Amino acid sequence: MDFLHPVSLLLESGRSDSHASPSVPFTEDQPIRAVRRPPLRDQALRRHSLATAAPAIAAWMIASIASAQQIKEVPAQSPAQQTGPIISDSDFTAALPSLTTEQTRPQTQPQAQTATPAPPDAPLTSDLPAVAPIADTDLTTALTPLSGFDAQPLEATNIPAAATPPAIAYDTVLEGLPRAETARFNELSALKAGKGKAANPSMVRARANEDEALVLRLLSSDGYYDGTVTSSILTPTNGSARVQAHLIVAPGKRYRLGRIHVKADATVPPDLIQSHLPLRSGDPIVADQVLAAEANVSVIMPQNGYPFATVKGRDIALDPDTGLGDYTLMLDPGPRSRFGGFRSAGKVVFQPGHIAELTRFYPGDLYDNRMVDDLRQALVATSLFRSVSVEPVKTGQMNPDGTEQVDLVVNQEKGPRHSISGEAGYSTGQGFTATGTWTDRNLWPPEGALAVTGTLGTQEQDLGVTFKRSNTGERDRTQTDGVVLDHTDETYEAYTATLSWGLSRVSTPLWQKEWTWAYGVNLVASHESQDPTASPEVYTDYYTADVPLKLEWDKTDNLLDPTRGFRITGQTTPELGLGGTSPANLLTTIDASLYQSLSPQAVLAARVRVGDIIGGSLLDIAPSRRLYAGGGGSVRGYAYEALGPLDSTGTPTGGLSVNEVSIELRYRIGSYGIVPFIDAGQVYSSRLPDFSNLKLGAGIGGRIYTNFGPLRIDVATPLSNNKRDVAIALYVGIGQAF
């Protein structure tokens, strides 16, 4: 009705900006008007209190309503009968009551009285009655201190728990996603991770929203850049039915690689980057393949003289009309470099001179980060570092061929010097054997270690002190000096003292070498009895000087667990008797092993060993220097060193020659393996083996493959028994039998 319009305008114009307007629910078909509020005409109104203005506004509203009742009685006129506006803006403004400070309160008398305003500096007065003093003592009494209250927590045992809304079950329905991405969606999906259960439909909706973003990422990673996905949650009216989360995917066009371009400075050779970027025009733009190609370039560059190569980014320009994306790789190759010197940093263990002895490259060689990684692994293998890293640094020094010299900075953090290690084993016939070692790994730097080793076994006990300097002069070359006291009670009993010096070049899991060697000098004194069962025992003293020599040719693919190739080891030891206790002898043995892979799981392995002693007769040679066979590392199924000639008491005497043959079929399934095997061998009193009267043993073994080599458990039985043999022999150790 028209008479309400002035009231609305008044509320808009008289409302202060610090109060919110009434809330009005707008719909889409309603226009939203911008109301411009007129400024306050009198600045005094800004200071006028709401208590003063409220009576005047109320009186005006009562008068307006009374006027409205009179307007209702006036007959409505058509627009044609109206000759002018209902009320003009000026008349409406003049009709508003004044809200200035001079306005007085409305009087009940019909005649208005004029109030004289107080001067500005007059004191404020009040007609309110005086407040009587408080007579209630409870209000004037001091409050009880907080320490007087009981601070025990509220017992909430009787408070009923809030009701938990029942969970709902839902199904995930995915349509339209390419099959290649479905498996990845199932792995990463929030809906799938919920396993079809949620607290309420809102939670299902939240998971569906997450999966929408996931689908778009998966599509983009597989070349579908125009893909869309919509989701809906269908809640059945039947409370027992399952909610359904639908994801409808429209993959759109799949983009493919167009032109492939590399933006980089010139390299040597010129196609170094392009030839190692495995991307082809026409292939789908798959994010994983693009990243893998760039990673391949990042690996190849430091291997070919560019240690500071950096991928700056990529650009793929998509053409919606052709469905092609032109790929551009932006790369900074950095300077082409060659190896220079070394620098030590941190808590230094090795100086640059010793670091250079661990390398497999020389200054001036083209930079190859594989050699740098190998150096770092060799440093770690010394066990002298808590942490160590090797980083190239620019020197600014240019070589004649235009390459830059780079130094290697070895950041070192010293680790513990001392270590304790041990191992244990068991075999039928030899019994238990346990060995422990205490080592000071850097007593005499660099890498001068002192080791104390002790062995306790059923048939052997020893104590040794060894000084070993590793990587002396070159990598994996070791000098060893030691003294060992040993007691053996096997087919013979011997008390032995050995003073030794040796130098060797050995293979390691980090660097398996084709050729290895060892040589040294041993001074041996022993007190030995041929027959430990004799009563009384007869002991003989032997003093010898030995010069052991060893050479190995290794063409296998693995040091500890070979699957193909061969390995031949030859060892000879000239022996000189001192003081006429024994004649001069030459002991020679040759071991040859062959490995053939039959399938990814099966390996056929074979071994042959022959040996002889040239010099004195059998009885002139100390029992501990003779040749023996039988046991876990020889012919399995027989007692340790039990093969060969026997004396009158049935005790093996050892021999002057030996031969052994072993064949295994190693079948591996994951981390486990099964190994059927057959061994044969014999010891002879003649100077050359005649391969007659071979003793056979057969059995089956189990393997547990670890990162440091296989654990071996073999069970064997002799196929031709004698009195010293048992029906079943068990062998436990580390590594393959050969």
Side-chain angles (χ1 to χ4, degrees):
M1 294 182 293
D2 292 337
F3 71 91
L4 291 178
H5 289 199
V7 179
S8 300
L9 292 174
L10 172 65
L11 294 177
E12 285 290 341
S13 61
R15 186 180 67 241
S16 172
D17 288 344
S18 64
H19 295 77
S21 60
S23 176
V24 180
F26 291 99
T27 59
E28 296 181 358
D29 56 349
Q30 290 179 314
I32 301 177
R33 298 182 295 109
V35 180
R36 182 176 183 182
R37 301 171 182 171
L40 296 177
R41 293 170 296 161
D42 191 347
Q43 294 298 325
L45 183 58
R46 299 177 185 268
R47 300 185 299 272
H48 203 281
S49 67
L50 182 61
T52 304
I57 295 174
W60 179 86
M61 292 178 65
I62 293 173
S64 299
I65 295 173
S67 300
Q69 296 294 332
Q70 296 177 2
I71 293 173
K72 289 181 181 180
E73 298 175 359
V74 178
Q77 298 179 1
S78 63
Q81 294 174 338
Q82 297 178 2
T83 58
I86 298 174
I87 183 171
S88 64
D89 290 342
S90 59
D91 293 339
F92 173 74
T93 304
L96 292 176
S98 176
L99 300 179
T100 62
T101 56
E102 298 178 355
Q103 181 179 339
T104 60
R105 298 175 181 270
Q107 304 294 327
T108 56
Q109 301 294 331
Q111 294 181 352
Q113 296 182 0
T114 304
T116 303
D121 55 351
L124 297 176
T125 60
S126 175
D127 296 336
L128 297 175
V131 178
I134 299 174
D136 191 346
T137 58
D138 292 339
L139 298 178
T140 58
T141 304
L143 297 176
T144 304
L146 292 177
S147 60
F149 289 92
D150 185 6
Q152 295 298 324
L154 177 64
E155 294 290 341
T157 56
N158 296 327
I159 300 177
T164 302
I168 64 171
Y170 66 87
D171 295 321
T172 302
V173 180
L174 179 65
E175 299 179 7
L177 187 65
R179 181 176 300 178
E181 301 301 330
T182 302
R184 299 177 63 186
F185 173 85
N186 293 334
E187 295 176 0
L188 305 174
S189 167
L191 288 169
K192 295 290 186 179
K195 298 181 179 179
K197 296 181 180 179
N200 49 55
S202 298
M203 182 178 291
V204 181
R205 163 49 62 190
R207 294 174 182 174
N209 291 340
E210 292 184 29
D211 283 355
E212 286 186 18
L214 171 64
V215 168
L216 293 177
R217 292 197 305 270
L218 294 177
L219 290 175
S220 298
S221 69
D222 209 24
Y224 297 95
Y225 295 100
D226 299 334
T228 60
V229 57
T230 58
S231 64
S232 60
I233 308 300
L234 303 181
T235 304
T237 57
N238 184 3
S240 61
R242 298 170 66 91
V243 174
Q244 289 190 347
H246 283 259
L247 280 82
I248 309 301
V249 181
K253 181 187 301 183
R254 192 180 195 187
Y255 286 81
R256 298 181 178 273
L257 287 170
R259 186 176 64 94
I260 298 175
H261 174 66
V262 176
K263 186 177 181 181
D265 294 337
T267 61
V268 179
D271 63 342
L272 177 62
I273 303 175
Q274 194 81 29
S275 61
H276 291 92
L277 185 66
L279 296 176
R280 297 181 302 176
S281 298
D283 288 347
I285 305 177
V286 180
D288 290 345
Q289 295 178 3
V290 173
L291 295 176
E294 295 173 357
N296 187 66
V297 172
S298 299
V299 170
I300 291 297
M301 295 295 289
Q303 294 178 359
N304 290 270
Y306 294 91
F308 308 105
T310 305
V311 174
K312 293 296 184 180
R314 75 192 65 82
D315 180 69
I316 301 178
L318 301 177
D319 187 346
D321 296 332
T322 62
L324 298 178
D326 292 338
Y327 171 84
T328 302
L329 174 64
M330 292 158 281
L331 184 141
D332 179 13
R336 192 166 184 252
S337 306
R338 295 185 179 275
F339 287 115
F342 299 91
R343 307 178 193 176
S344 295
K347 295 183 178 180
V348 175
V349 179
F350 295 156
Q351 297 297 334
H354 187 64
I355 294 173
E357 294 178 354
L358 300 178
T359 63
R360 297 170 63 184
F361 57 85
Y362 298 96
D365 288 350
L366 190 66
Y367 185 92
D368 187 342
N369 70 335
R370 290 171 294 186
M371 295 293 99
V372 177
D373 291 340
D374 177 75
L375 171 61
R376 184 189 61 80
Q377 292 175 354
L379 291 168
V380 171
T382 64
S383 302
L384 294 175
F385 299 93
R386 192 179 305 274
S387 65
V388 61
S389 64
V390 184
E391 300 176 357
V393 293
K394 298 178 181 179
T395 63
Q397 301 178 11
M398 305 304 294
N399 297 312
D401 61 351
T403 59
E404 182 175 348
Q405 178 177 309
V406 298
D407 288 349
L408 296 179
V409 177
V410 181
N411 298 294
Q412 310 171 35
E413 184 176 350
K414 186 182 299 183
R417 282 174 39 184
H418 304 98
S419 67
I420 298 177
S421 61
E423 61 181 35
Y426 172 82
S427 65
T428 304
Q430 194 174 8
F432 286 98
T433 302
T435 301
T437 303
W438 174 89
T439 305
D440 186 326
R441 290 188 289 252
N442 205 29
L443 182 61
W444 293 282
E447 296 193 74
L450 180 66
V452 179
T453 303
T455 299
L456 290 176
T458 306
Q459 296 181 348
E460 182 179 10
Q461 305 84 41
D462 66 46
L463 177 64
V465 178
T466 304
F467 168 75
K468 182 174 68 174
R469 186 177 294 281
S470 303
N471 301 308
T472 175
E474 66 179 38
R475 179 169 166 180
D476 293 336
R477 187 168 69 180
T478 303
Q479 176 186 336
T480 305
D481 306 277
V483 57
V484 178
L485 302 177
D486 177 80
H487 171 247
T488 301
D489 188 6
E490 299 169 349
T491 57
Y492 58 88
E493 185 174 21
Y495 298 87
T496 306
T498 304
L499 182 64
S500 63
W501 173 91
L503 193 66
S504 61
R505 181 178 187 261
V506 299
S507 284
T508 67
L510 294 179
W511 185 12
Q512 182 178 349
K513 304 168 186 62
E514 182 175 353
W515 292 96
T516 57
W517 48 260
Y519 63 87
V521 175
N522 299 329
L523 297 177
V524 183
S526 62
H527 182 66
E528 304 184 19
S529 169
Q530 172 64 46
D531 185 5
T533 64
S535 180
E537 289 189 66
V538 178
Y539 289 89
T540 304
D541 295 330
Y542 300 90
Y543 303 96
T544 61
D546 305 336
V547 183
L549 306 172
K550 180 180 179 180
L551 181 64
E552 182 173 275
W553 183 21
D554 190 351
K555 295 291 288 185
T556 61
D557 61 337
N558 189 281
L559 183 65
L560 299 178
D561 187 20
T563 61
R564 63 179 182 274
F566 64 87
R567 185 179 294 158
I568 301 175
T569 303
Q571 186 169 353
T572 183
T573 304
E575 180 181 287
L576 177 64
L578 302 177
T581 58
S582 64
N585 302 300
L586 179 64
L587 186 153
T588 303
T589 59
I590 297 176
D591 284 86
S593 301
L594 177 66
Y595 308 92
Q596 179 63 50
S597 178
L598 304 180
S599 70
Q601 294 81 26
V603 175
L604 181 65
R607 177 182 72 94
V608 176
R609 175 178 178 245
V610 295
D612 66 356
I613 298 176
I614 300 175
S617 64
L618 180 64
L619 296 180
D620 293 334
I621 300 173
S624 61
R625 288 9 173 232
R626 301 171 187 172
L627 294 172
Y628 295 89
S634 177
V635 183
R636 286 163 287 187
Y638 295 87
Y640 181 67
E641 297 184 346
L643 300 184
L646 305 176
D647 62 12
S648 59
T649 64
T651 302
T653 63
L656 297 178
S657 60
V658 64
N659 56 21
E660 297 173 357
V661 177
S662 298
I663 298 176
E664 291 185 347
L665 179 61
R666 301 170 182 173
Y667 191 83
R668 179 172 179 174
I669 306 174
S671 298
Y672 302 93
I674 185 170
V675 181
F677 59 85
I678 185 169
D679 299 335
Q682 186 58 281
V683 174
Y684 306 93
S685 57
S686 60
R687 298 190 184 278
L688 294 176
D690 57 14
F691 301 96
S692 63
N693 194 26
L694 293 177
K695 299 295 184 179
L696 300 178
I700 191 168
R703 303 291 184 266
I704 302 176
Y705 293 91
T706 67
N707 55 359
F708 57 84
L711 300 179
R712 174 169 58 96
I713 302 175
D714 289 339
V715 179
T717 184
L719 301 183
S720 53
N721 293 337
N722 60 38
K723 296 180 180 180
R724 291 176 56 89
D725 300 329
V726 294
I728 297 295
L730 175 66
Y731 310 96
V732 180
I734 299 177
Q736 299 286 5
F738 57 88

